[in-house]
Amino acid sequence: MNFDEHIKNICRVAFHHIRDIAKIRKFLSYGTVKTLMHAFVTSRIDSCKALLFGLLNFLIQRLQYVLNSAARVITRCRKFDHDTPLMIELHWLPVEQRIIFKILLFTFKVQV
């Protein structure tokens, strides 16, 4: 299966929402922006992510760029700031680890 078009579409739509939220960021509180990002961006990345297991690294990296951009908008950091502290502050896993976590969660729920 080829998920290139699917990931390209997710990134396009997510970056559109990130740009829109970034334009009104100064008028919103931290919690509100975090909720908006979760509703419009991370939910798109997380949908059907169990199907993305085993994808090529460059495709997963595209989704990681989206997640990093969302984290920068939420925390009001600059473009060239390091992403890892932002992800830790927001309690977000990297995309590859999110995929593995979701598969392990499904497996656990099936066994219980």
Side-chain angles (χ1 to χ4, degrees):
M1 292 179 99
N2 187 359
F3 285 102
D4 191 31
E5 287 297 319
H6 176 68
I7 290 177
K8 192 182 299 184
N9 187 32
I10 289 174
C11 293
R12 183 179 52 82
V13 171
F15 276 125
H16 173 74
H17 289 302
I18 289 171
R19 279 191 301 273
D20 287 346
I21 293 170
K23 289 177 185 175
I24 60 171
R25 170 64 178 106
K26 60 185 172 184
F27 303 111
L28 302 173
S29 67
Y30 176 82
T32 306
V33 173
K34 192 172 177 182
T35 303
L36 284 173
M37 283 297 179
H38 180 68
F40 292 113
V41 178
T42 59
S43 63
R44 291 191 186 276
I45 292 174
D46 291 341
S47 67
C48 301
K49 66 182 168 191
L51 295 174
L52 302 178
F53 182 74
L55 275 180
L56 298 173
N57 285 337
F58 79 94
L59 293 173
I60 291 177
Q61 189 62 37
R62 287 182 185 175
L63 295 174
Q64 187 64 48
Y65 291 148
V66 172
L67 204 61
N68 292 346
S69 296
R72 278 191 219 100
V73 170
I74 291 172
T75 58
R76 292 183 179 178
C77 289
R78 293 185 307 259
K79 181 178 180 179
F80 298 106
D81 288 345
H82 196 58
D83 298 323
T84 305
L86 304 177
M87 302 297 271
I88 291 171
E89 178 184 335
L90 294 170
H91 301 287
W92 286 358
L93 290 172
V95 173
E96 189 170 1
Q97 291 177 3
R98 283 174 173 252
I99 293 169
I100 293 170
F101 178 77
K102 187 65 164 187
I103 292 170
L104 292 174
L105 185 65
F106 282 156
T107 306
F108 176 76
K109 286 184 176 182
V110 167
Q111 289 180 352
V112 172

